[in-house]
Amino acid sequence: MIRVLTLDLVDDASAIAEYERWHRPGNVPAPVLAAIRASGVEEMEIFRTGARLVMTMTVAPGFDPAAKADADAADPDVAEWEARMGSFQRALPAAPDGSRWTPMIPIFRLSDHR
């Protein structure tokens, strides 16, 4: 299953460059990567246009976003990463309370059409 989420970054070129630097291979802390994988996320990609980010996650059957959020909040390495990234991120108006990433609702799939 693929989940898609979005948010905005602070609209500042140097902040955006720093955010991207943190996401380059070797810069994301190993415990953060391990927590993502342990939650059932099999693949994750983040795309940017301007200050808007879109994240796709391929997740295993049974993936539970609430359980992932609880585990992340209890993990000091992940909490530190989230706080650091939060200084760059801005939630969209439709974001659920307490969340910066907003789930996107699928509305079209080519394979559903003849």
Side-chain angles (χ1 to χ4, degrees):
M1 168 188 249
I2 296 176
R3 299 179 52 91
V4 181
L5 301 101
T6 188
L7 62 68
D8 285 341
L9 293 173
V10 172
D11 195 7
D12 173 81
S14 63
I16 291 170
E18 181 68 5
Y19 185 84
E20 288 185 357
R21 185 188 72 75
W22 274 108
H23 285 81
R24 288 189 191 118
N27 291 347
V28 178
V32 172
L33 297 172
I36 292 169
R37 291 182 174 114
S39 74
V41 175
E42 297 170 345
E43 182 60 85
M44 178 184 284
E45 293 181 290
I46 300 175
F47 302 87
R48 182 180 68 79
T49 183
R52 175 81 28 105
L53 297 181
V54 174
M55 176 171 57
T56 65
M57 297 188 306
T58 303
V59 297
F63 173 78
D64 182 351
K68 180 183 183 320
D70 290 346
D72 289 350
D75 184 319
D77 293 312
V78 175
E80 180 182 338
W81 172 259
E82 288 297 327
R84 180 178 295 129
M85 294 305 105
S87 69
F88 299 100
Q89 299 170 336
R90 298 294 172 254
L92 301 181
D97 288 341
S99 178
R100 290 185 301 269
W101 286 99
T102 303
M104 298 185 79
I105 300 165
I107 62 168
F108 176 86
R109 178 176 296 132
L110 182 61
S111 62
D112 291 340
H113 299 265
R114 294 187 357 212

